[in-house]
């Protein structure tokens, strides 16, 4: 049996690990290493519980830091684990700092790397995730792509087609498995919503929240939108910190709540009239759910959510943000379809390929 070591660290990794771990169950010996990039219970533990992932075998407990410090701490703590555990393949997920740091360590030690969610490109190098995606894909031996644009990007960058496997979207595997367990009434109640339609907001990217002028203009626009439709805003710790730093006061124009668990957030997403976000994964989940998504970013590494799905990009143009939210709330809302291979079986395809290689 092969020894597969999975590396995860931040919230969006956990819903990608869960189905791959399940699909490999009984077919490989598996070890989970959590880097500790995310450490709050609401950003990490709750996902392990709700997604049914076993507790990590190893937690590197690196915590927060600058990009260089966080990446370096992960590499220093991870290297001896690889030397001691000697896995056959290390699986890394998505585009967070933990993904790139682990890939760098493995490549220098000659350990095979499999990248789940390979090939996505925003072509915006001001995003730390774009750098993480490019470095990880350069180093990976097996590249599992969620959509055909990923294959095209990798081939254009000179990656051998033999390494690339179009498998579909593992995050949708998790969504399809857990959607029947969501309780929309309970989720609405927990965030203080009554029967009305509502908008769901998440914002956490440095490009949106780190510059005070940009953050304030987005929040002022949300206040305006909040006069027409109730807004629920589960707030990432980074955004909460920036709000405090900016001294921005919200006087009940929207419901600011703590980060939610997977099931609670999914319940609200499926029920929302519109989702306003700068997240990557949420663009995909709303496309699957057929819920209008307005993305407060100038670009996306997930173009199928725009060309096939329900997503629209508005950048930091607040007039467009208002207009697209209005449109989403009207009968003229953008309809979409589900991209090919977002069918709940992506992780089975990955497990078959891993078993054969
Ligand atoms: C990271 C990922 C991002 C992903 C996001 C999802 C990178 C480069 N970025 O961004 O792609 O979309 O996770 O959440 O890897 N903090 C806490 N508690 C925690 C974790 C973080 O309070 O459990 C706070 C700390 O103040 C920290 C800040 O959030 O400095 C940022 O955390 P960090 O892991 O550096 O990046 P994220 O913004 O979470």
């Amino acid at each position: 049996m092969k020894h597969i070591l999975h590396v995860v660290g931040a919230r969006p990794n956990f819903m990608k690990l869960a189905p791959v771990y399940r699909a490999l169950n009984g077919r490989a010996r598996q070890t989970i290493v959590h880097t500790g990039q995310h450490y709050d219970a609401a950003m990490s533990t709750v996902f392990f519980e709700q997604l049914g992932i076993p507790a990590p075998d190893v937690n590197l407990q690196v915590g927060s830091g600058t990009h260089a410090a966080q990446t370096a701490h992960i590499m220093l703590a991870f290297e001896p684990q690889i030397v001691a555990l000697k896995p056959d393949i290390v699986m890394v997920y998505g585009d967070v700092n933990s993904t790139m740091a682990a890939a760098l360590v493995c490549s220098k030690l000659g350990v095979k790397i499999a990248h789940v969610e390979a090939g996505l490109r925003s072509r915006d190098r001001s995003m730390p995730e774009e750098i993480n995606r490019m470095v990880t894909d350069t180093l990976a031996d097996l590249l599992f792509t969620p959509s055909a644009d990923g294959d095209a990007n990798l081939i254009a960058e000179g990656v051998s087609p033999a390494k690339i496997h179009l498998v579909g979207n593992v995050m949708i595997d998790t969504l399809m498995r857990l959607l029947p367990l969501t309780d929309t009434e309970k989720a609405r109640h927990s965030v203080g919503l009554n029967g009305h339609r509502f908008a769901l907001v998440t914002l956490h990217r440095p490009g949106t929240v780190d510059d005070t002028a940009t953050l304030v203009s987005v929040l002022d626009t949300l206040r305006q939108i909040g006069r027409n439709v109730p807004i629920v805003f589960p707030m990432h710790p980074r955004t909460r910190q920036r709000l405090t730093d900016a001294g921005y006061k919200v006087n009940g124009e929207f419901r600011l709540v703590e980060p939610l668990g997977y099931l609670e957030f999914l319940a609200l997403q499926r029920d929302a009239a519109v989702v306003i976000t700068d997240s990557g994964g949420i663009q995909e989940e709303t496309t699957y759910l057929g819920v209008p998504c307005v993305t407060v970013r100038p670009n996306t590494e997930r173009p199928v959510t725009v060309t096939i799905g329900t997503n629209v990009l508005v950048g930091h143009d607040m007039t467009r943000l208002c207009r697209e939210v209005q449109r989403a709330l009207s009968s003229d809302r953008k309809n979409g379809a589900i991209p090919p291979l977002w069918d709940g079986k992506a992780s089975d395809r990955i497990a078959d390929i891993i078993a054969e290689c």
Side-chain angles (χ1 to χ4, degrees), residues 10-12 37-40 43 64-65 67 70 95-98 128-129 132 204-206 236-238 241:
R11 185 170 60 179
Q37 178 175 345
H38 284 175
Y39 41 88
D40 287 353
M43 300 291 286
S64 302
H67 285 272
Q70 193 175 56
D95 56 15
V96 303
N97 285 346
S98 301
E129 293 82 2
N132 294 342
H204 73 281
R205 287 209 179 274
H236 186 287
R238 170 194 281 280
Q241 189 57 49

